[in-house]
Amino acid sequence: MKSSMLTRKREIPGGALGKWMPLLVFAIASAQFISVVSALALGPAGALETGWIAYKSALSSRPIITKSVTSAVIMSVSDAITQRVETKFSQPDSKKKEDDSGKAMEGKTSRSIFVHNWLRTSHVAITGMVYSGPITHYWYQILESIVTVENRVLGLACRLLLDSIIFSPVTITGYFTVRTFLERKGLVTLRDKLQTKLKPALFAAWSFWPPVNIFNFSLVPLQFRVLYSNIMALVWTGYLSFVNQKKEIKRSD
């Protein structure tokens, strides 16, 4: 009896998170919905203009907080989409195996089940809030102060080079470190993750970010570069989240 009570007590934190997280997300979404509906009273153009003015005002008065919250929201959306994609692409294989063994109905049943991992999404959101948003903000500030070349083409080339050889390794390493810390795993897991995942992620970053940053560094104003980067990171964060989770799946086998 005592052991069962202890077991229940230990299960409460995870259960509570899974129980209340959807309600919390619903409350936040409802508040956002109300604000959007109120803005729509001005018409679509008026709503966009009102939202943009509010964002610019927050960006001017509280730049780091605004960029951190923006990173958390967009990275959470990216992870949610990634989880859906992972489920969609992982199920056909299992369905095929079940069909070959004569259990087609079980394959169809498993295909319709999707359980969102709210704990994983919360880790991604926290990473965006406390790490990705702030470090990107400060990096763009530092980059502008370092690169003072008047020639636009040469200045763009310098920014792209510095971003690739300095920021990409630092931010990817930091991402895996923060995620490992939030998952309550030790230095051994972090070391293994960096040894196996850092190099492929870095090469992927060198393929993805330079074309994105050509537009970002040449045409986007400095105060909006984190926002642009976050929008582009809908794809990139999904990739990193997948890579991070893929390691966990292999270790659990």
Side-chain angles (χ1 to χ4, degrees), residues 75-83 116-117 120-121 124 241:
M75 289 175 65
S76 299
V77 172
S78 177
D79 179 70
I81 296 172
T82 301
Q83 290 191 39
H116 188 88
N117 188 340
R120 169 177 158 179
T121 301
V124 173
S241 183

Side-chain angles (χ1 to χ4, degrees), residues 49-202:
E49 183 178 359
T50 301
W52 181 243
I53 292 174
Y55 178 80
K56 288 196 296 183
S57 176
L59 198 61
S60 177
S61 59
R62 300 179 181 86
I64 298 178
I65 295 177
T66 302
K67 293 174 184 178
S68 297
V69 171
T70 304
S71 295
V73 172
I74 293 179
M75 289 175 65
S76 299
V77 172
S78 177
D79 179 70
I81 296 172
T82 301
Q83 290 191 39
R84 284 281 184 178
V85 172
E86 288 174 0
T87 303
K88 182 177 180 180
F89 281 91
S90 64
Q91 285 174 346
D93 293 336
S94 61
K95 181 177 181 297
K96 183 177 180 181
K97 291 179 182 179
E98 290 169 352
D99 288 343
D100 293 340
S101 62
K103 298 180 181 179
M105 292 301 295
E106 291 184 12
K108 292 180 181 179
T109 303
S110 64
R111 185 183 181 87
S112 62
I113 296 175
F114 171 75
V115 179
H116 188 88
N117 188 340
W118 290 104
L119 183 60
R120 169 177 158 179
T121 301
S122 68
H123 287 171
V124 173
I126 293 171
T127 304
M129 175 71 74
V130 304
Y131 179 72
S132 298
I135 194 175
T136 306
H137 165 79
Y138 286 115
W139 168 246
Y140 287 157
Q141 298 286 338
I142 293 172
L143 196 59
E144 284 301 305
S145 64
I146 292 176
V147 180
T148 58
V149 182
E150 294 183 1
N151 186 285
R152 294 188 62 182
V153 176
L154 182 58
L156 175 61
C158 291
R159 290 182 180 91
L160 292 174
L161 181 62
L162 291 174
D163 189 83
S164 296
I165 65 176
I166 297 177
F167 187 65
S168 289
V170 170
T171 189
I172 294 173
T173 301
Y175 178 89
F176 286 135
T177 302
V178 174
R179 288 293 304 274
T180 304
F181 172 78
L182 292 172
E183 292 158 5
R184 297 183 179 182
K185 297 182 178 178
L187 294 177
V188 175
T189 300
L190 176 60
R191 182 188 63 189
D192 181 58
K193 188 179 294 186
L194 294 178
Q195 287 178 347
T196 57
K197 299 301 177 184
L198 178 59
K199 185 177 179 180
L202 191 56

